[in-house]
């Protein structure tokens, strides 16, 4: 899994930061990608990456402010031009369906793929299959706004193939059966137990992506024990009064969310244009006094999860 930030600014685009969009690349896990929010010109940002819009399987919208949705119509249309035929599902607050369908209808946009739109009125599970569960909860902003928690389900243990060979298991389907947790009987009548040649199941990752929000308990609950928490940091401690007034959070409040949630890693985004690029490290340094493993995202940066949920940053 890899998170690539396509827009990390707040409110309106700047030369350094576009409006909000985060791509979750699940190419190894399911061969697709999930997009979280789609600010204006998101597809322009995609042009500067190796991302393929036709690979986008799901789009999760946090709220209906323009800096989080104005890129949707163009991206949906371009996905058709780029050969997208697989279904696409959009999740979001009530109103997203009317907005998308009206825009597509009035503009005469033709889609070459099935488009489904799921609106949410209540917190809870919004998607689940054999690999993932996605939860949503309402945050505290000036309009209804969602945060999402993506839980990867437990991964099967690894087959200790050399040990299996030592026990006399031949190459072929018996190895696959053991990998799937089934005991097998060899030609000589001996039974090889899966538990003896397969490691224990491994916990999957948890990623929490929060929309615009004040500091709130709902954010902490969504972030509980998360591998990565993505939290807005529109303001800093010196502008905390403005943060509260406009339904946003400071870098320090985001750090307290990660700390109370006992998360592993915090990424700050949705940075106000009042902060110049050179000030990003200062924002991160301040937050690290509360939560050590904090970084500030910039456009195009990627955070990749590798073995044992370690994180590699790709600038």
């Amino acid at each position: 899994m890899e998170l690539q930030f396509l827009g990390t600014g707040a409110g309106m685009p700047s030369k350094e930061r576009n409006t909000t969009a985060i791509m979750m690349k699940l190419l190894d896990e399911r061969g697709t990608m999930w997009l979280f929010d789609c600010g204006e010109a998101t597809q322009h940002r995609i042009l500067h990456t190796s991302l393929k819009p036709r690979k986008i399987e799901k789009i999760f919208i946090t709220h209906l402010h323009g800096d989080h949705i104005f890129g949707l119509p163009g991206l949906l249309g371009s996905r058709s031009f780029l050969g997208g035929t697989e279904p696409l599902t959009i999740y979001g607050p009530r109103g997203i369906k009317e907005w998308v369908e009206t825009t597509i209808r009035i503009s005469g946009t033709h889609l070459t793929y099935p488009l489904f739109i799921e609106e949410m009125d209540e917190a809870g599970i919004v998607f689940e299959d054999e690999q993932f569960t996605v939860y949503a909860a309402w945050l505290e902003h000036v309009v209804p706004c969602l945060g999402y928690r993506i839980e990867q389900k437990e991964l099967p243990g690894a087959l200790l193939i050399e040990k299996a060979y030592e026990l006399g298991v031949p190459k072929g389907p018996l190895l696959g059966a053991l990998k799937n947790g089934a005991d097998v009987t060899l030609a000589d009548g001996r039974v090889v137990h899966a538990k003896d040649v397969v490691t224990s199941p491994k916990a999957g990752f948890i990623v929490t992506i929060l929309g615009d929000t004040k500091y709130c308990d709902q954010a902490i609950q969504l972030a509980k024990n998360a591998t990565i928490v993505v939290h807005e940091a529109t303001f800093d401690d010196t502008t905390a009064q403005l943060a509260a007034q406009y339904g946003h959070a400071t870098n320090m409040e985001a750090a307290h969310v990660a700390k109370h949630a006992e998360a592993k890693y915090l990424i700050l985004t949705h940075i106000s244009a009042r902060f110049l690029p050179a000030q990003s490290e200062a924002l991160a340094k301040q937050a690290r006094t509360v939560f050590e493993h904090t970084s500030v995202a910039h456009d195009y940066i990627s955070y990749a999860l590798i073995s044992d949920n370690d994180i590699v940053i790709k600038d």
Side-chain angles (χ1 to χ4, degrees):
M1 191 282 295
E2 188 171 330
L3 289 180
Q4 184 162 18
F5 287 76
L6 299 171
T8 58
M12 57 182 283
S14 67
K15 291 181 179 179
E16 289 79 24
R17 296 181 184 276
N18 197 44
T19 48
T20 299
I22 305 167
M23 192 73 80
M24 175 180 280
K25 294 191 270 188
L26 298 169
L27 300 176
D28 290 338
E29 292 82 0
R30 59 198 293 130
T32 63
M33 302 183 299
W34 294 356
L35 178 64
F36 291 81
D37 283 333
C38 189
E40 179 184 354
T42 292
Q43 67 170 323
H44 291 253
R45 282 302 205 241
I46 288 175
L47 291 174
H48 297 279
T49 72
S50 61
L51 301 173
K52 307 296 184 191
R54 59 185 172 79
K55 290 282 189 179
I56 300 173
E57 174 192 13
K58 299 181 182 297
I59 300 177
F60 296 88
I61 299 298
T62 61
H63 64 296
L64 302 184
H65 275 160
D67 58 320
H68 294 255
I69 65 169
F70 280 172
L72 262 178
L75 179 62
L76 295 176
S78 293
R79 189 175 185 264
S80 288
F81 286 118
L82 295 169
T85 58
E86 294 298 312
L88 173 65
T89 304
I90 298 173
Y91 303 84
R94 185 155 298 280
I96 189 65
K97 182 179 178 67
E98 179 184 1
W99 189 79
V100 169
E101 290 183 346
T102 300
T103 305
I104 289 174
R105 176 176 54 81
I106 291 177
S107 65
T109 301
H110 173 67
L111 302 183
T112 59
Y113 52 87
L115 177 65
F116 304 98
I117 303 176
E118 301 285 344
E119 293 187 322
M120 283 163 275
D121 292 311
E122 299 180 358
I125 295 175
V126 299
F127 169 76
E128 184 171 20
D129 66 3
E130 68 280 357
Q131 288 182 296
F132 292 95
T133 304
V134 180
Y135 301 87
W138 296 105
L139 302 173
E140 294 187 19
H141 191 40
V142 294
V143 298
C145 185
L146 292 159
Y148 294 100
R149 176 184 175 93
I150 303 93
E151 292 187 4
Q152 183 186 34
K153 294 187 176 178
E154 190 176 67
L155 301 172
L159 176 65
L160 303 173
I161 194 163
E162 294 301 327
K163 187 172 183 180
Y165 287 157
E166 289 174 6
L167 293 173
V169 182
K171 292 181 180 179
L174 293 184
L175 290 174
L178 288 167
K179 176 73 170 76
N180 291 328
D183 298 337
V184 300
T185 302
L186 304 182
D188 60 9
R190 289 184 299 118
V191 176
V192 177
H193 298 282
K195 65 181 179 62
D196 295 329
V197 293
V198 178
T199 62
S200 299
K202 176 183 171 184
F205 62 76
I206 300 172
V207 174
T208 298
I209 298 179
L210 302 170
D212 293 1
T213 185
K214 297 179 181 179
Y215 178 88
C216 62
D217 288 339
Q218 300 94 303
I220 296 171
Q221 292 306 310
L222 281 174
K224 200 70 178 175
N225 301 124
T227 315
I228 296 175
V229 176
V230 179
H231 199 300
E232 70 131 290
T234 312
F235 297 93
D236 66 359
D237 249 12
T238 67
T239 50
Q241 186 174 355
L242 286 175
Q245 181 180 346
Y246 293 110
H248 287 292
T250 70
N251 57 335
M252 301 299 283
E253 289 171 329
H256 280 290
V257 167
K259 179 179 180 180
H260 291 314
E262 299 182 57
K264 183 171 183 179
Y265 202 87
L266 171 65
I267 304 172
L268 302 179
T269 188
H270 204 270
I271 309 299
S272 169
R274 75 181 63 238
F275 301 111
L276 299 176
Q279 296 174 281
S280 292
E281 182 53 33
L283 291 173
K285 187 175 181 180
Q286 290 170 3
R288 288 184 196 123
T289 63
V290 172
F291 188 79
E292 180 181 359
H293 301 293
T294 300
S295 69
V296 176
H298 59 74
D299 289 18
Y300 301 119
I301 195 170
S302 289
Y303 298 80
L305 277 181
I306 57 174
S307 59
D308 298 322
N309 286 341
D310 288 330
I311 295 168
V312 172
I313 299 176
K314 301 178 180 180
D315 253 325

